[in-house]
Amino acid sequence: TQRDDRGGDRGGFIAVAATTAAATVTRLHGDTSSPQLSPEAGPPREHLTIIRAHIWAWLARYFVPESSGTETTEVVGTQNPGNMRTGVPASEQTSCAKGDPQAYCPENTGGTEAVQVTDCQNPEDSQPQNEQGYSNPQDFGQLMASYEGKAKGYQVPPFGWRICLAHEFAEKRKPFNANNVSLSNLMKHLGMGLRYLQWWYRKTQVEKKTPFIDLINSVPLRQIYGCPLGGIGGGTITRGWRGQFCRWQLNPGMYQHQTVIADQFTVCLRRKGQTVYQQVLSVERPSVLHSWNWGLCGYFAFYHALYPRAWTVYQLPGQNVTLTCRQITPILPHDYQDSSLPVGVFVWDVENEGDEALDVSIMFSMRNGLGGEDDAPGGLWNEPFCLERDGETVQGLLLHHPTPPNPYTMAVAARLTADTMVTHLTAFDPDSAGQQVWQDLLQDGQLDSLAGQSLPSQKGVGIAGAVCVMGKLPPRGQRRLEFSLAWDMPRIMFGAKGQVYYRRYTRFFGPDGDAAPTLSHYALCRYADWEERISAWQSPVLDDRSLPAWYKSALFNELYFLADGGTVWLEVPEDCLREEPVESMCQLRPLLREYGRFGYLEALATLREDLAQQRYLMSGIIAPVKRRNVVPHDVGDPDDEPWLRVNAYVVHDTADWKDLNLKFVLQVYRDYYLTGDHCFLRDMWPVCLAVMESEMKFDKDQDGLIENGGYADQTYDGWVTTGPSAYCGGLWLAAVAVMVKMAALCGAQEVQDKFSSILSRGQEAYERLLWNGRYYNYDCSSQPQSHSIMSDQCAGQWFLRASGLGEGDSEVFPTPHVVRALQTIFEFNVQGFAGGAMGAVNGMQPHGVPDRSSVQSDEVWVGVVYGLAATMIQEGLTWEGFRTAEGCYRTVWERLGLAFQTPEAYCQQQVFRSLAYMRPLSIWAMQLALQQQQQQQHKKAPGPIAKQDTGLSTRPKLGPKEAVANPSPECAS
């Protein structure tokens, strides 16, 4: 249910419509393709550029309302309805310049004398000391080159993604749009562009909805994101690597990319009863709250992410104090309670390296709401709370946000111990100068802590609150201060405002909207246990010295998408259970009752149909929204009514796509192989039969091999495929092979014989029609691109090997052919593209030039590259696999600044497409391949392969063979 407007654009071809927003642009860029590896003739560019400009200016004139303009919906900061000011900085650049000392002299401090705060000294040009135990900045590319401090932080791990807060990414890319499309491709999709503009206008201006695919208002590049807070399915809040709270997904699947400037941590140091240092731990210099001391020097601080945890280390110049903030989210393998909680914990470890005792205070301030239109009506209010349970006390503030349709309460809380004091300020104006709260803290390192709730906010007036923890810091000592952030939005409605749902966590904490204090208490009392379990889960990988450091970072940090990818996890009420599963799958009711509804993949949607007619943008045909017995593209738009109305994707009629059904079947068998869950296989068997039966019609000549239809009828939805093809044909044969296996496991001899016959005929046709001696041809068309080298041509083999098949008696593709094809891909698509430093380009012509026959063939798809790397490892090409994947990681995370928003695709130059995409989770296929490789090396018996509990095998004691021999009693039917 993730919305594509988060990344702006879904399909590359559809970006031709985005040029409507460029109607006022005075110059359209020329060809932005990668450098040629061999000469290629082409027409002059100037007159083509003029033609494109005229075409799209005409389209914009007739199909884009004047009010749409050239603006983007991305707001760098909060919106300002009425007179509500949030003072979000105009830029995300580092606010501290070298040699720019900051002075803050507080006024009217009572017993506190004026303080000279020199927070940014002239740093030396030398690199940090390469001390024992310190990760050299070179290990993190150039991301730590600006770091001038010597602090290592408190128990910061050596592996992860690390960046100095003063770092600036030199390369600034833009979302893909029609300026990046060749004239030939532009003309191919002219009709589609017209239909898209009509659809976009109806969606935004008539229906007043946010388009599921919005190219007119693409989300621009913001190189700021860090680890998100929040478990799976309860919403997420992303805190950037410079400390800003900047991406919000509280309403399911809907994102607000807004930096809320009042949401900050502030440190106050006191010696001998006087405040000597007070600083907002932010590099920003906003226009509001200007009484606060902003502009932290980023050269003495760094951020380190290893999802689901992150660390920020601040060396306070001249104070002999180092702060380490550790951020923790409960993402825990095999834990279906705590992993669903909408909470995050911040643990501050303060180290005093001096000889004087200190009082240290950390203040956590937060605005009630984001300062946008949801806040403008007013009626928001705050109140303090204190919860004592089982000998542990938690105090804080509740920020009540009752705005419909999805009201929520945010809790900012801290743990009270014998060595700390917790105070609060119930309300202050986040759009003012902020002098009240600043002076309050400066006076004595505490807040006033007035009792009672605040008055409801007035229309157009913001409200914020703050919680402070103070503790004593002995000479050469250390002190720990603990905060939590929890949000309780138990009852949700999607954009259609129809059905009411309750989130998964309400099973454990109640559905009444009063769980925020309990969630806070639970998080602060349980986070140590969470960390132990996270460490136990990650240690086998982190401690493996054979694995490169970049891979360890990529493997865990890409998991951010599990929580932050628009995922929804909901309870299924009893009255719905009687109606929910279709009749043939009523046995799933106990599973729905136990685990709820997980909103990323729904097998039940496959068997349903929606015969409502809609026009598809690419072809212009009118066809049903969803046909029975085909896998849907998606389970619906979160701005509409997911599950009830699936297939929000309107570009193609995906009922005719060749690969979705096949991938579903392959995933079913793979998951069965990894878990040994025979009941799961029995449940999925009728669905697999249904979708494979619907797939049969694509084998028009009955040679055992399906044919593509002469358009982009597969996941590469802008890349035309005709006749038998390497990608779809390979997936088909792999799916047929696993159907043979599943039929044997389910005792369906007739079905087994049927698919065995298809497999035999299909293998012969595949090799005869597509193998050319070095690789499998892209397709069987008469077009020049039919001989392109596709990086994803071995996708079928990838699935088979992940499922314990694909070699020996279960071989489908000749192993020498697979290995030779992978070597060719590595030579051409990887090493022959961008110097081998950017992963694998989707398509490469045999003479060494990227395939530019479509808007997707010359892209790099990050998730496809990780899957390709896994396939290489499976076939013994381990070095090549790591080399291939490394190019993607370093491009995305170190060069382009796209951390925690890994895109679907990027080109060699200038552009990216579809930020924060799910496909890069396929990096875990590399880990699976490595574990399989290790198993083979140790000559383990077949069965579940995950000896190390990295989350890949959920039933380590039961494999496929054992499951068949000893099925569960309730499944032995």
Side-chain angles (χ1 to χ4, degrees), residues 529-597:
D529 174 66
W530 294 342
E531 289 198 278
E532 288 182 7
R533 293 159 65 188
I534 291 170
S535 295
W537 159 43
Q538 295 182 338
S539 290
V541 172
L542 301 180
D543 295 343
D544 188 340
R545 301 183 65 180
S546 70
L547 299 175
W550 69 262
Y551 171 77
K552 298 173 183 180
S553 171
L555 187 70
F556 292 111
N557 283 325
E558 290 290 5
L559 286 176
Y560 82 94
F561 192 88
L562 286 179
D564 200 28
T567 325
V568 183
W569 196 356
L570 305 173
E571 288 291 278
V572 180
E574 279 294 327
D575 56 346
C576 292
L577 282 172
R578 291 189 292 272
E579 306 171 1
E580 187 61 31
V582 295
E583 184 176 347
S584 62
M585 300 191 70
C586 60
Q587 72 274 17
L588 293 183
R589 286 173 184 158
L591 285 175
L592 286 170
R593 181 181 291 110
E594 176 63 24
Y595 295 107
R597 173 185 267 157

Side-chain angles (χ1 to χ4, degrees), residues 264-266 361-366 383-385 394-399 411-415 421-426 428 437 441 446-447 449 464-470 482-484:
Q264 300 289 345
F265 286 102
T266 299
S361 300
I362 300 288
M363 180 180 73
F364 186 6
S365 57
M366 178 152 282
E383 64 173 330
F385 78 93
V394 169
Q395 295 178 243
L397 284 181
L398 300 178
L399 315 180
V412 180
R415 189 178 191 176
M421 177 179 294
V422 179
T423 55
H424 68 269
L425 180 65
T426 305
F428 68 91
V437 62
L441 181 65
Q446 302 176 47
L447 299 175
S449 299
V467 174
C468 177
V469 184
M470 184 177 73
E482 302 153 299
F483 292 89
S484 68

Side-chain angles (χ1 to χ4, degrees), residues 6 239 262 295 316 361 371 387 421 443 447 459 464 474 877 932:
R6 173 177 175 176
R239 187 167 182 247
L316 304 183
S361 300
L387 179 59
M421 177 179 294
Q443 181 74 26
L447 299 175
K459 183 177 181 179
L877 303 175
Q932 288 177 315

Side-chain angles (χ1 to χ4, degrees), residues 905-926:
Y906 55 80
C907 292
Q908 185 171 348
Q909 297 175 342
Q910 295 190 353
V911 298
F912 59 84
R913 184 168 60 77
S914 296
L915 290 175
Y917 211 72
M918 53 84 183
R919 211 184 308 269
L921 285 171
S922 62
I923 192 170
W924 278 83
M926 292 180 66

Side-chain angles (χ1 to χ4, degrees), residues 79 86 115 180 293 470 504 525 600 610 613 719 895:
Q79 303 172 18
T86 57
V115 183
N180 313 108
N293 189 31
M470 184 177 73
R504 164 74 175 180
C525 293
Y600 201 81
D610 181 351
Q613 301 288 301
W719 195 356
R895 174 180 157 191

Side-chain angles (χ1 to χ4, degrees), residues 196-378:
Y196 174 79
L197 293 174
Q198 292 173 316
W199 173 83
W200 182 90
Y201 180 84
R202 185 180 71 251
K203 200 77 175 174
T204 59
Q205 305 303 310
V206 179
E207 299 176 14
K208 304 298 183 183
K209 293 280 189 179
T210 302
F212 182 68
I213 302 172
D214 190 351
L215 299 175
I216 309 301
N217 301 300
S218 296
V219 175
L221 175 68
R222 297 182 74 198
Q223 298 163 316
I224 64 173
Y225 296 117
C227 275
L229 293 155
I232 299 172
T236 50
I237 299 172
T238 296
R239 187 167 182 247
W241 52 269
R242 286 183 175 143
Q244 64 274 64
F245 291 81
C246 52
R247 186 170 66 202
W248 309 75
Q249 190 235 154
L250 298 180
N251 291 305
M254 306 297 292
Y255 293 84
Q256 293 171 285
H257 301 77
Q258 300 178 191
T259 296
V260 183
I261 204 65
D263 299 354
Q264 300 289 345
F265 286 102
T266 299
V267 61
C268 174
L269 301 180
R270 293 173 59 82
R271 290 186 175 94
K272 299 178 181 179
Q274 293 185 333
T275 298
V276 296
Y277 182 92
Q278 188 161 302
Q279 173 72 45
V280 183
L281 296 172
S282 169
V283 299
E284 309 292 356
R285 296 178 186 275
S287 59
V288 297
L289 300 176
H290 52 77
S291 290
W292 297 16
N293 189 31
W294 297 90
L296 175 81
C297 184
Y299 293 96
F300 292 90
F302 68 86
Y303 177 86
H304 185 97
L306 189 65
Y307 187 78
R309 294 189 291 175
W311 294 255
T312 310
V313 177
Y314 306 88
Q315 180 179 325
L316 304 183
Q319 303 302 318
N320 291 322
V321 170
T322 298
L323 310 175
T324 303
C325 176
R326 188 166 75 257
Q327 174 183 311
I328 305 142
T329 289
I331 301 294
L332 309 165
H334 316 313
D335 186 325
Y336 301 111
Q337 173 176 319
D338 289 6
S339 294
S340 72
L341 302 184
V343 298
V345 175
F346 300 96
V347 179
W348 289 82
D349 288 295
V350 187
E351 299 173 276
N352 183 4
E353 298 157 6
D355 296 323
E356 289 186 85
L358 288 169
D359 290 335
V360 58
S361 300
I362 300 288
M363 180 180 73
F364 186 6
S365 57
M366 178 152 282
R367 184 179 191 124
N368 189 335
L370 309 187
E373 59 184 15
D374 287 346
D375 303 355

Side-chain angles (χ1 to χ4, degrees), residues 2-221:
Q2 180 198 18
R3 292 196 57 81
D4 280 303
D5 62 352
R6 173 177 175 176
D9 48 332
R10 166 60 177 84
F13 63 89
I14 200 173
V16 296
T19 308
T20 54
T24 58
V25 177
T26 57
R27 183 176 67 88
L28 291 175
H29 299 292
D31 191 358
T32 60
S33 57
S34 59
Q36 301 288 306
L37 298 180
S38 63
E40 183 180 55
R45 302 296 305 170
E46 183 176 0
H47 72 282
L48 301 183
T49 299
I50 295 172
I51 292 172
R52 288 194 299 191
H54 283 299
I55 289 172
W56 291 108
W58 177 83
L59 289 175
R61 178 181 303 170
Y62 287 98
F63 291 101
V64 179
E66 292 182 4
S67 60
S68 68
T70 60
E71 297 299 321
T72 171
T73 53
E74 165 66 7
V75 182
V76 184
T78 51
Q79 303 172 18
N80 298 307
N83 63 349
M84 297 182 68
R85 295 194 306 138
T86 57
V88 176
S91 115
E92 300 290 348
Q93 307 301 313
T94 304
S95 301
C96 172
K98 293 187 177 184
D100 180 20
Q102 330 263 322
Y104 175 71
C105 300
E107 302 176 1
N108 189 24
T109 61
T112 307
E113 58 188 31
V115 183
Q116 174 71 24
V117 181
T118 306
D119 197 29
C120 188
Q121 308 292 337
N122 288 331
E124 301 293 335
D125 292 331
S126 60
Q127 295 295 328
Q129 303 280 336
N130 188 16
E131 303 170 6
Q132 185 176 2
Y134 177 77
S135 296
N136 193 302
Q138 281 75 18
D139 296 340
F140 302 97
Q142 292 299 309
L143 303 184
M144 284 291 288
S146 300
Y147 185 61
E148 300 293 343
K150 295 185 178 181
K152 308 170 190 176
Y154 183 79
Q155 296 182 350
V156 180
F159 301 109
W161 182 71
R162 185 175 297 186
I163 184 169
C164 176
L165 267 60
H167 182 76
E168 292 290 346
F169 290 98
E171 188 167 352
K172 310 291 184 183
R173 292 204 168 197
K174 295 182 179 180
F176 187 95
N177 61 45
N179 294 350
N180 313 108
V181 182
S182 67
L183 179 63
S184 61
N185 280 319
L186 200 70
M187 298 307 296
K188 289 178 187 176
H189 302 300
L190 183 60
M192 185 270 170
L194 291 169
R195 285 185 289 272
Y196 174 79
L197 293 174
Q198 292 173 316
W199 173 83
W200 182 90
Y201 180 84
R202 185 180 71 251
K203 200 77 175 174
T204 59
Q205 305 303 310
V206 179
E207 299 176 14
K208 304 298 183 183
K209 293 280 189 179
T210 302
F212 182 68
I213 302 172
D214 190 351
L215 299 175
I216 309 301
N217 301 300
S218 296
V219 175
L221 175 68

